[in-house]
Amino acid sequence: MAFVEIDGLVKRYGSLSIFEGFDLHMENADRLVLIGPSGCGKSTLLRCMMGLEDIAGGTIRLGGDDYIQGATDGRMTLDRRVQKEVGMVFQHYTLFPHLSVLGNLCLAPVRSRGVKKSEARDKAMGLLERFGLAERANFYPSQLSGGQKQRVAIARALMLDPKLMLFDEVTSALDPELVVEVENTMMELAEGGMPMMIVTHDMHFARSIATKVVFQERGKVIEAAAPDDLFGNPQQERTRDFLRNVLHIEG
Amino acid sequence: MNYEFDWFYVKKGFPQLIEGLWLTLELTLWANVIGLVLGFLVAIGMLSKIKAIVWPLTAYIEFFRCTPALIQLVWFFFCIPILFNVWWSAEFMGILALGLNLAAFNAEAYRAAIQAIPHAHTDASTALGLNVFQRIIHVILPQALILSLPVLITNGIGIFQQSALVALISVEDLMYQGRYISTQTFRPIETLTTVALIYFAVSFPVSQAVTLIERRTKRLLAN
Amino acid sequence: MDFDFSFLAEYSGVLWRGLLTTLQFVGIAVVLGLVWGFVLSLGRTSSNKGLYWLATLYVEFFRGTPVLVQLFWIFFCLPLFLGVELSGFISAVIALSLYSGAITSESFRAALKSIDASQFDACIALGLPQGVQTVFVILPQAMLRAIPNLLSNVVSLFKESALVSAVGMADLMYVGQNIANNVARPIEILTAIALIYFAIGFPLTRAVSLVEGRLLKVVKA
Ligand SMILES: Nc1ncnc2c1ncn2[C@@H]1O[C@H](COP(=O)(O)OP(=O)(O)O)[C@@H](O)[C@H]1O
Ligand SMILES: [Mg+2]
C-alpha cells in the first residue's frame, strides 16, 4: 500500500476531457515532481487531490484512507478529515490581503481547528523565525516581496501540520532573483522529511529536490523514474522530445 | 391598501406623455452631441502642457462634476439671460446645461481611455510621420472612443434620466407632462407610475447593452 | 453690470440652516441605504430565484428611472397607497433612501464579484468551514473593496439631494432659490449656492480617488 494512491481518476471540464483513468502512486518518503507540457493537467491533478475540483470517477487515497471518490453523476464524495491532512501552495500566493502575516497564519488553526490564539501565535512565530520572516509578522501581504509572500503561504499551510504538501508552480510568478529563497525553503522542508508533490518548470530544481520525477502528457503518465535516470537517460521518445525542448529553451 | 385604480386619464393623456417623451429624447440627443464632441475636445485640451489651458478646463470639469445638476440648470436658466442679455428658450437652456454637464463627465471618461492607450501606438504613429492633428483624429480618437464607449453610453443614458430636471424650469418634457396630468386629474399613482415605466423602458435596454459591450471590449482588449 | 455679494451676509443664517438640512437628508439616506443595500445585495447574490429576481428588478428599476420621478412618486403616491399622511420630510427621506439602497447594493455586489476565485480555493485548501470563509475572509475583503464606490455614492446622494427642494423641503437649493426670488439677485445667490455645493462635493470627490488608490494597493496581494 502506497502513501498516496490515485486510481482510475476521471476528470472533465464540460466536454474537455483531462483524465480518463489516471493512475499514480507515491511513497511516504517520496518527493514527487510532476513535469509535462503546459496544459497537460498538472495543476488539475493537484487541484483534484486538494478537493478543489469535482471528479467524475476514480479514487484518491491517503495513508490507506479513501478520501475522494468520483462518481459519474458528478457527486463525488469527499472525506474532509483526510482532506485536512493535505496542504497546498498556489502559483499566485493567494494570501488574504486584509490580514497581516500573522493573521494569515493563525486564521485556519484558530477558526477551524479550535487552537488557542496564544498557542497558534507561538507556533506561527516559530515558523516565521525558521523562515527568516519573524520581523515581517505584522506586515500586510501588499508590503511583502513576491518571494516573501510565497514563503508566508508555505508557512500558512504548515500551520495545519499537513501529512502531504502540494506545490503548484510556486516560483513561476516570481522575479528570477526571488526564486532561490522560495526553493531553499522547500529544500529545507524536504530535508525535514515532508512528503511533497511539486509541479515546476525549473528542471534543475526538479532534479535536486525530487526522489521521483513523473513526466505526464495528455492525461497519461509517460515515464516515471528517479531524477538522475529520467533526466540522464530517458527511456521514452516523448520524454526526450520534451526535455530537449525545455532544456533548449532554458539554454 | 384599498386604492382603486383608474387608468382612464392615463389612456386619454397618453399622446401627451409621448409628446413629452419625444422632447425628452430630443434634449437627450442634443445634450449627447455636445457631451461627446465637447468632452473629447476638453480631454485633448487636458493633455496640454500649458497651464493656462489645463487650469480652466480642470475647473470646468470639477465644477460640473461636483455640484448638483439642478443648481447648474437653474443657474443657466436665471443667470445667462442677465449676464449675456440673451433670451433663449428654456429648452435651449436645458440642452446647454445638460450638455455641459455631460461633457465634463465624458471628458473624464475620454481622459481615462486616452491614458490607457499604449504608448507604443503614439510612438508608432510618430514614426509613421503623422502630425499632431492626424494623430489625434486617426489614432487617439478611435481608440479612446472604443475604450470609453461603455462609460460614454452610461453617461449618456444618465443624462436621459437627469433631463427630467428640466420639468422644474417648465420645459414640457415627459416628467412635466406626467406632473401636469397627475395634478389635473388627481390620478398621481397611475400617471407617475406610467411615467416611471416609460423612463425605465428606454434606459433599461441601453444599460443592458452596455453590459454586453463591456464584455466585448474587454475581450477585444485582451488580445 | 455690477455684482453685489454683500447682502449674502444677511442671509448666512438661513443658508446655514439650508445646508444643515441638506446634510441631514444625505446622512440619513446614506445610513439607511447602507442597511437596505446590504439586504438587497444578499438578494442579488442569493441562489433563491425568486429573491434574486425581486432584488434585481428593484435595483434595475431604481437605477433606470430619474430620481425626480421616484421622489414625486413617493411624495404623491405612497400616502394614497398606504392611506396615511406622510410629511414631506419623511417622503423625501424614503425616496432618497430607496434610491441609495439600490446603488449601494450594486457597490456591494461588484465588490463581492471582484474577489478573485483563488481566494475561495485558498479557503478550501486551508479547510475553512463555509461560515468562517464568509465572515473572516470574503466579507472583510468585500467591504474594503466597496469603500471607494460607497464613498462615490455619498457624492451622488449629496448632489441628488438638491431634488428635495422640488417637493418643498427647505434644503440649500430651496433656500437659495427662495432668496433669489425675494431679492431679485439670482446671479449672486445662485453662484454662492453652487460654490457651497462645490466646497463640499469637490473634497469628497477627491477623497474618493485618494482612498481608491490606497485600497487598490492593499487589496492587490
Ligand atoms: N476551470 C477550467 N475550465 C475549463 N477548462 C480548464 C479549467 N482549468 C483548466 N482547464 C483546461 O484543462 C487543461 C489542463 O489545465 P492545467 O491542469 O492547468 O494544465 P497545466 O497545469 O499542466 O499547465 C487545459 O487545457 C486547460 O485549458
Ligand atoms: Mg498549471
Side-chain angles (χ1 to χ4, degrees), chain A residues 13 16 18 36-45 53 168-169 199 201 216:
Chain A
Y13 288 114
L16 177 69
I18 310 295
S38 169
C40 73
K42 302 179 300 291
S43 300
T44 304
L45 182 64
E53 299 285 344
D168 188 6
E169 291 194 37
V199 173
H201 284 305
Q216 158 186 352

PDB file of all heavy atoms in Angstrom, chain A residues 13 16 18 36-45 53 168-169 199 201 216, ligand 1:
ATOM      1  N   TYR A  13     -13.637  18.878 -17.909  1.00  0.00           N
ATOM      2  CA  TYR A  13     -14.221  20.224 -17.826  1.00  0.00           C
ATOM      3  C   TYR A  13     -15.257  20.296 -18.933  1.00  0.00           C
ATOM      4  O   TYR A  13     -14.900  20.521 -20.093  1.00  0.00           O
ATOM      5  CB  TYR A  13     -13.169  21.311 -18.048  1.00  0.00           C
ATOM      6  CG  TYR A  13     -12.194  21.473 -16.896  1.00  0.00           C
ATOM      7  CD1 TYR A  13     -10.852  21.176 -17.064  1.00  0.00           C
ATOM      8  CD2 TYR A  13     -12.626  21.952 -15.666  1.00  0.00           C
ATOM      9  CE1 TYR A  13      -9.955  21.339 -16.016  1.00  0.00           C
ATOM     10  CE2 TYR A  13     -11.730  22.116 -14.612  1.00  0.00           C
ATOM     11  CZ  TYR A  13     -10.400  21.804 -14.802  1.00  0.00           C
ATOM     12  OH  TYR A  13      -9.523  21.973 -13.773  1.00  0.00           O
ATOM     13  N   LEU A  16     -14.430  18.888 -22.337  1.00  0.00           N
ATOM     14  CA  LEU A  16     -12.972  18.732 -22.421  1.00  0.00           C
ATOM     15  C   LEU A  16     -12.510  17.683 -21.408  1.00  0.00           C
ATOM     16  O   LEU A  16     -12.680  17.844 -20.205  1.00  0.00           O
ATOM     17  CB  LEU A  16     -12.293  20.075 -22.136  1.00  0.00           C
ATOM     18  CG  LEU A  16     -10.762  20.065 -22.120  1.00  0.00           C
ATOM     19  CD1 LEU A  16     -10.217  19.832 -23.534  1.00  0.00           C
ATOM     20  CD2 LEU A  16     -10.214  21.355 -21.547  1.00  0.00           C
ATOM     21  N   ILE A  18      -9.743  15.734 -19.388  1.00  0.00           N
ATOM     22  CA  ILE A  18      -8.355  15.902 -18.943  1.00  0.00           C
ATOM     23  C   ILE A  18      -7.760  14.543 -18.578  1.00  0.00           C
ATOM     24  O   ILE A  18      -6.686  14.186 -19.029  1.00  0.00           O
ATOM     25  CB  ILE A  18      -8.267  16.844 -17.724  1.00  0.00           C
ATOM     26  CG1 ILE A  18      -9.041  18.138 -17.977  1.00  0.00           C
ATOM     27  CG2 ILE A  18      -6.809  17.149 -17.389  1.00  0.00           C
ATOM     28  CD1 ILE A  18      -8.507  19.001 -19.073  1.00  0.00           C
ATOM     29  N   GLY A  36       5.786  18.246 -17.461  1.00  0.00           N
ATOM     30  CA  GLY A  36       4.996  17.967 -18.639  1.00  0.00           C
ATOM     31  C   GLY A  36       4.620  19.257 -19.322  1.00  0.00           C
ATOM     32  O   GLY A  36       4.707  20.329 -18.713  1.00  0.00           O
ATOM     33  N   PRO A  37       4.203  19.174 -20.593  1.00  0.00           N
ATOM     34  CA  PRO A  37       3.888  20.389 -21.338  1.00  0.00           C
ATOM     35  C   PRO A  37       2.738  21.154 -20.697  1.00  0.00           C
ATOM     36  O   PRO A  37       1.888  20.566 -20.031  1.00  0.00           O
ATOM     37  CB  PRO A  37       3.503  19.876 -22.727  1.00  0.00           C
ATOM     38  CG  PRO A  37       3.216  18.430 -22.565  1.00  0.00           C
ATOM     39  CD  PRO A  37       4.023  17.961 -21.408  1.00  0.00           C
ATOM     40  N   SER A  38       2.735  22.456 -20.894  1.00  0.00           N
ATOM     41  CA  SER A  38       1.691  23.305 -20.345  1.00  0.00           C
ATOM     42  C   SER A  38       0.325  22.846 -20.862  1.00  0.00           C
ATOM     43  O   SER A  38       0.175  22.529 -22.030  1.00  0.00           O
ATOM     44  CB  SER A  38       1.995  24.737 -20.778  1.00  0.00           C
ATOM     45  OG  SER A  38       0.917  25.552 -20.510  1.00  0.00           O
ATOM     46  N   GLY A  39      -0.633  22.761 -19.957  1.00  0.00           N
ATOM     47  CA  GLY A  39      -1.982  22.352 -20.352  1.00  0.00           C
ATOM     48  C   GLY A  39      -2.204  20.857 -20.288  1.00  0.00           C
ATOM     49  O   GLY A  39      -3.276  20.371 -20.651  1.00  0.00           O
ATOM     50  N   CYS A  40      -1.221  20.086 -19.793  1.00  0.00           N
ATOM     51  CA  CYS A  40      -1.385  18.629 -19.786  1.00  0.00           C
ATOM     52  C   CYS A  40      -2.134  18.155 -18.549  1.00  0.00           C
ATOM     53  O   CYS A  40      -2.412  16.972 -18.404  1.00  0.00           O
ATOM     54  CB  CYS A  40      -0.035  17.934 -19.884  1.00  0.00           C
ATOM     55  SG  CYS A  40       0.926  18.045 -18.364  1.00  0.00           S
ATOM     56  N   GLY A  41      -2.436  19.074 -17.624  1.00  0.00           N
ATOM     57  CA  GLY A  41      -3.265  18.679 -16.483  1.00  0.00           C
ATOM     58  C   GLY A  41      -2.520  18.565 -15.165  1.00  0.00           C
ATOM     59  O   GLY A  41      -3.018  17.947 -14.230  1.00  0.00           O
ATOM     60  N   LYS A  42      -1.350  19.169 -15.061  1.00  0.00           N
ATOM     61  CA  LYS A  42      -0.593  19.080 -13.804  1.00  0.00           C
ATOM     62  C   LYS A  42      -1.330  19.810 -12.682  1.00  0.00           C
ATOM     63  O   LYS A  42      -1.535  19.249 -11.602  1.00  0.00           O
ATOM     64  CB  LYS A  42       0.811  19.681 -13.996  1.00  0.00           C
ATOM     65  CG  LYS A  42       1.629  19.029 -15.091  1.00  0.00           C
ATOM     66  CD  LYS A  42       2.998  19.648 -15.266  1.00  0.00           C
ATOM     67  CE  LYS A  42       2.989  21.124 -15.628  1.00  0.00           C
ATOM     68  NZ  LYS A  42       2.492  21.439 -16.963  1.00  0.00           N
ATOM     69  N   SER A  43      -1.741  21.049 -12.972  1.00  0.00           N
ATOM     70  CA  SER A  43      -2.484  21.791 -11.946  1.00  0.00           C
ATOM     71  C   SER A  43      -3.784  21.084 -11.624  1.00  0.00           C
ATOM     72  O   SER A  43      -4.182  20.989 -10.453  1.00  0.00           O
ATOM     73  CB  SER A  43      -2.807  23.205 -12.436  1.00  0.00           C
ATOM     74  OG  SER A  43      -1.637  23.907 -12.713  1.00  0.00           O
ATOM     75  N   THR A  44      -4.431  20.597 -12.667  1.00  0.00           N
ATOM     76  CA  THR A  44      -5.709  19.914 -12.452  1.00  0.00           C
ATOM     77  C   THR A  44      -5.532  18.739 -11.510  1.00  0.00           C
ATOM     78  O   THR A  44      -6.347  18.521 -10.613  1.00  0.00           O
ATOM     79  CB  THR A  44      -6.285  19.442 -13.791  1.00  0.00           C
ATOM     80  OG1 THR A  44      -6.392  20.567 -14.662  1.00  0.00           O
ATOM     81  CG2 THR A  44      -7.654  18.815 -13.614  1.00  0.00           C
ATOM     82  N   LEU A  45      -4.463  18.006 -11.674  1.00  0.00           N
ATOM     83  CA  LEU A  45      -4.214  16.854 -10.805  1.00  0.00           C
ATOM     84  C   LEU A  45      -4.096  17.285  -9.344  1.00  0.00           C
ATOM     85  O   LEU A  45      -4.738  16.722  -8.451  1.00  0.00           O
ATOM     86  CB  LEU A  45      -2.940  16.132 -11.245  1.00  0.00           C
ATOM     87  CG  LEU A  45      -2.596  14.890 -10.437  1.00  0.00           C
ATOM     88  CD1 LEU A  45      -3.675  13.829 -10.625  1.00  0.00           C
ATOM     89  CD2 LEU A  45      -1.235  14.333 -10.820  1.00  0.00           C
ATOM     90  N   GLU A  53     -11.630  20.314  -7.126  1.00  0.00           N
ATOM     91  CA  GLU A  53     -12.352  20.015  -8.363  1.00  0.00           C
ATOM     92  C   GLU A  53     -13.251  18.815  -8.153  1.00  0.00           C
ATOM     93  O   GLU A  53     -12.893  17.881  -7.429  1.00  0.00           O
ATOM     94  CB  GLU A  53     -11.350  19.689  -9.495  1.00  0.00           C
ATOM     95  CG  GLU A  53     -10.385  20.804  -9.845  1.00  0.00           C
ATOM     96  CD  GLU A  53     -11.037  21.921 -10.635  1.00  0.00           C
ATOM     97  OE1 GLU A  53     -12.149  21.706 -11.168  1.00  0.00           O
ATOM     98  OE2 GLU A  53     -10.437  23.007 -10.722  1.00  0.00           O
ATOM     99  N   ASP A 168       2.077  24.036  -6.572  1.00  0.00           N
ATOM    100  CA  ASP A 168       1.768  24.210  -7.990  1.00  0.00           C
ATOM    101  C   ASP A 168       2.504  25.411  -8.575  1.00  0.00           C
ATOM    102  O   ASP A 168       2.064  26.549  -8.434  1.00  0.00           O
ATOM    103  CB  ASP A 168       0.262  24.370  -8.188  1.00  0.00           C
ATOM    104  CG  ASP A 168      -0.123  24.348  -9.663  1.00  0.00           C
ATOM    105  OD1 ASP A 168       0.761  24.091 -10.505  1.00  0.00           O
ATOM    106  OD2 ASP A 168      -1.303  24.598  -9.971  1.00  0.00           O
ATOM    107  N   GLU A 169       3.610  25.180  -9.218  1.00  0.00           N
ATOM    108  CA  GLU A 169       4.396  26.243  -9.865  1.00  0.00           C
ATOM    109  C   GLU A 169       4.576  27.454  -8.957  1.00  0.00           C
ATOM    110  O   GLU A 169       4.318  28.583  -9.360  1.00  0.00           O
ATOM    111  CB  GLU A 169       3.708  26.689 -11.157  1.00  0.00           C
ATOM    112  CG  GLU A 169       3.747  25.616 -12.219  1.00  0.00           C
ATOM    113  CD  GLU A 169       3.385  26.178 -13.586  1.00  0.00           C
ATOM    114  OE1 GLU A 169       3.777  27.328 -13.853  1.00  0.00           O
ATOM    115  OE2 GLU A 169       2.738  25.464 -14.364  1.00  0.00           O
ATOM    116  N   VAL A 199       4.816  20.691  -8.792  1.00  0.00           N
ATOM    117  CA  VAL A 199       4.787  20.982 -10.224  1.00  0.00           C
ATOM    118  C   VAL A 199       5.741  22.138 -10.454  1.00  0.00           C
ATOM    119  O   VAL A 199       5.655  23.158  -9.774  1.00  0.00           O
ATOM    120  CB  VAL A 199       3.377  21.383 -10.696  1.00  0.00           C
ATOM    121  CG1 VAL A 199       3.418  21.846 -12.146  1.00  0.00           C
ATOM    122  CG2 VAL A 199       2.412  20.231 -10.530  1.00  0.00           C
ATOM    123  N   HIS A 201       8.549  24.162 -13.547  1.00  0.00           N
ATOM    124  CA  HIS A 201       9.166  24.213 -14.874  1.00  0.00           C
ATOM    125  C   HIS A 201      10.680  24.281 -14.757  1.00  0.00           C
ATOM    126  O   HIS A 201      11.390  24.297 -15.744  1.00  0.00           O
ATOM    127  CB  HIS A 201       8.670  25.440 -15.647  1.00  0.00           C
ATOM    128  CG  HIS A 201       7.286  25.263 -16.161  1.00  0.00           C
ATOM    129  ND1 HIS A 201       6.927  24.202 -16.949  1.00  0.00           N
ATOM    130  CD2 HIS A 201       6.158  26.004 -15.994  1.00  0.00           C
ATOM    131  CE1 HIS A 201       5.646  24.291 -17.245  1.00  0.00           C
ATOM    132  NE2 HIS A 201       5.158  25.367 -16.669  1.00  0.00           N
ATOM    133  N   GLN A 216       4.404  13.643 -17.592  1.00  0.00           N
ATOM    134  CA  GLN A 216       2.990  13.425 -17.875  1.00  0.00           C
ATOM    135  C   GLN A 216       2.644  14.181 -19.155  1.00  0.00           C
ATOM    136  O   GLN A 216       3.153  15.264 -19.421  1.00  0.00           O
ATOM    137  CB  GLN A 216       2.218  13.928 -16.648  1.00  0.00           C
ATOM    138  CG  GLN A 216       0.794  14.296 -16.842  1.00  0.00           C
ATOM    139  CD  GLN A 216       0.242  14.922 -15.552  1.00  0.00           C
ATOM    140  OE1 GLN A 216       0.885  14.934 -14.498  1.00  0.00           O
ATOM    141  NE2 GLN A 216      -0.941  15.474 -15.641  1.00  0.00           N
TER     142      GLN A 216
HETATM  143  N1  LIG D   1     -11.750  25.661 -14.862  1.00  0.00           N
HETATM  144  C1  LIG D   1     -11.473  25.162 -16.084  1.00  0.00           C
HETATM  145  N2  LIG D   1     -12.435  25.102 -17.030  1.00  0.00           N
HETATM  146  C2  LIG D   1     -12.193  24.594 -18.258  1.00  0.00           C
HETATM  147  N3  LIG D   1     -11.006  24.153 -18.651  1.00  0.00           N
HETATM  148  C3  LIG D   1      -9.988  24.192 -17.772  1.00  0.00           C
HETATM  149  C4  LIG D   1     -10.172  24.704 -16.450  1.00  0.00           C
HETATM  150  N4  LIG D   1      -8.985  24.634 -15.793  1.00  0.00           N
HETATM  151  C5  LIG D   1      -8.112  24.093 -16.672  1.00  0.00           C
HETATM  152  N5  LIG D   1      -8.705  23.827 -17.845  1.00  0.00           N
HETATM  153  C6  LIG D   1      -8.087  23.190 -19.011  1.00  0.00           C
HETATM  154  O1  LIG D   1      -7.588  21.948 -18.607  1.00  0.00           O
HETATM  155  C7  LIG D   1      -6.348  21.698 -19.226  1.00  0.00           C
HETATM  156  C8  LIG D   1      -5.308  21.382 -18.184  1.00  0.00           C
HETATM  157  O2  LIG D   1      -5.034  22.534 -17.450  1.00  0.00           O
HETATM  158  P1  LIG D   1      -3.966  22.610 -16.273  1.00  0.00           P
HETATM  159  O3  LIG D   1      -4.207  21.486 -15.342  1.00  0.00           O
HETATM  160  O4  LIG D   1      -3.999  23.971 -15.710  1.00  0.00           O
HETATM  161  O5  LIG D   1      -2.610  22.370 -17.063  1.00  0.00           O
HETATM  162  P2  LIG D   1      -1.115  22.548 -16.563  1.00  0.00           P
HETATM  163  O6  LIG D   1      -1.144  22.950 -15.140  1.00  0.00           O
HETATM  164  O7  LIG D   1      -0.493  21.216 -16.793  1.00  0.00           O
HETATM  165  O8  LIG D   1      -0.493  23.582 -17.435  1.00  0.00           O
HETATM  166  C9  LIG D   1      -6.001  22.886 -20.076  1.00  0.00           C
HETATM  167  O9  LIG D   1      -6.317  22.621 -21.403  1.00  0.00           O
HETATM  168  C10 LIG D   1      -6.887  23.970 -19.504  1.00  0.00           C
HETATM  169  O10 LIG D   1      -7.236  24.865 -20.532  1.00  0.00           O
END
